[in-house]
Amino acid sequence: MNLSDPVMAALIGATATFVTALIQLLVNARRQAAERAAGKPASRKPGTWLAIFALMLAAAVGGYAFAQYQGYQDREDSKALRGEMQAQLRDLGNAAARLERAGLQRTELSQSDATLGLERRHGQEGVSAVVELPPCEAGGACSESAPMRAAICATVPAGVTVTEVLLFTRQEDSQQPWADAKVASGQDAGSARFIDNYFERVQADAREICQRFVHWGSQKGRSARIVVRYTP
């Protein structure tokens, strides 16, 4: 492990001081032992106290170095802990972002499914259109060979598939339900009929499904209705 310069210097100084003090104590101890062996009183020289002071100094410096080392270790541990916490926070942020994207996608899919379901119901029910034609003028103004003409058009979305075009007609003041007034193309409905197959008119974002209708009755007007069913 790499140690900072202050810690290294303190450790080296403490080690050198400690070794020097031990050597000094050993020298003094041998000198005193030799003096005792010669029958001389042991002298107390300042070197002993200096050696003891050196040992105390070495212990202090060593304690300082250990404290510095421990602080270094704590800083390294704190740094590692901060790095780990930051990595976990990044992971949590990424997970939250993924969940948010997934939620948005599910919301978009749900909205898309709801829109598609609604469009299917509209297609099954059908889109209708109605026109009202007045009676022909008296005096031969119109006839079966020269009738009044109209194109009845219902608008559907551009991308759908038309599955059925239902045709209905009744007199203008009739209380007959539309369901009972259903006819087929070409069927005589009493001086009126639908003719030909339906045709389309393409618009920018929609389509018009149209059916031609003719009417030559001179007594009463005529209502004509189409219902276009489709699938999205």
Side-chain angles (χ1 to χ4, degrees):
M1 177 179 293
N2 295 327
L3 300 178
S4 63
D5 291 341
V7 174
M8 287 295 295
L11 287 175
I12 293 171
T15 302
T17 304
F18 186 75
V19 171
T20 302
L22 282 178
I23 293 173
Q24 185 67 33
L25 285 175
L26 288 173
V27 170
N28 289 335
R30 287 179 180 178
R31 182 183 295 114
Q32 290 179 6
E35 289 177 351
R36 290 192 190 94
K40 297 179 181 181
S43 61
R44 296 183 178 274
K45 296 185 177 181
T48 302
W49 298 106
L50 290 175
I52 294 173
F53 176 75
L55 285 174
M56 294 174 62
L57 180 62
V61 174
Y64 167 76
F66 179 77
Q68 289 291 319
Y69 174 75
Q70 190 65 37
Y72 176 82
Q73 286 289 95
D74 293 341
R75 288 193 297 272
E76 287 296 309
D77 293 342
S78 298
K79 183 178 180 181
L81 181 60
R82 285 197 302 270
E84 183 177 354
M85 291 180 64
Q86 289 173 355
Q88 291 179 353
L89 287 175
R90 284 195 299 270
D91 292 340
L92 288 174
N94 293 334
R98 288 194 297 270
L99 288 174
E100 184 179 1
R101 287 194 297 270
L104 290 175
Q105 290 174 353
R106 285 196 296 269
T107 300
E108 291 174 356
L109 289 175
S110 299
Q111 292 176 347
S112 178
D113 291 341
T115 301
L116 183 60
L118 182 61
E119 198 61 50
R120 285 200 183 102
R121 287 195 296 273
H122 286 168
Q124 292 171 356
E125 295 171 358
V127 179
S128 64
V130 178
V131 296
E132 302 285 345
L133 295 179
C136 287
E137 294 180 359
C142 60
S143 62
E144 185 175 359
S145 59
M148 298 178 64
R149 297 178 180 271
I152 312 168
C153 299
T155 302
V156 299
V160 301
T161 300
V162 176
T163 58
E164 190 175 20
V165 178
L166 305 177
L167 309 175
F168 307 87
T169 182
R170 67 188 182 188
Q171 291 183 344
E172 60 182 354
D173 58 352
S174 174
Q175 299 301 312
Q176 181 185 24
W178 278 117
D180 297 337
K182 183 180 178 182
V183 296
S185 180
Q187 178 182 344
D188 189 348
S191 301
R193 68 167 62 95
F194 289 93
I195 61 173
D196 304 328
N197 295 325
Y198 71 86
F199 61 95
E200 297 186 15
R201 295 173 179 169
V202 179
Q203 299 179 349
D205 56 352
R207 293 154 58 196
E208 286 187 336
I209 308 301
C210 303
Q211 183 75 43
R212 292 186 175 90
F213 181 74
V214 295
H215 166 55
W216 61 91
S218 60
Q219 299 299 318
K220 290 186 178 182
R222 175 67 64 166
S223 298
R225 178 175 182 255
I226 67 169
V227 176
V228 180
R229 291 177 177 171
Y230 60 88
T231 58

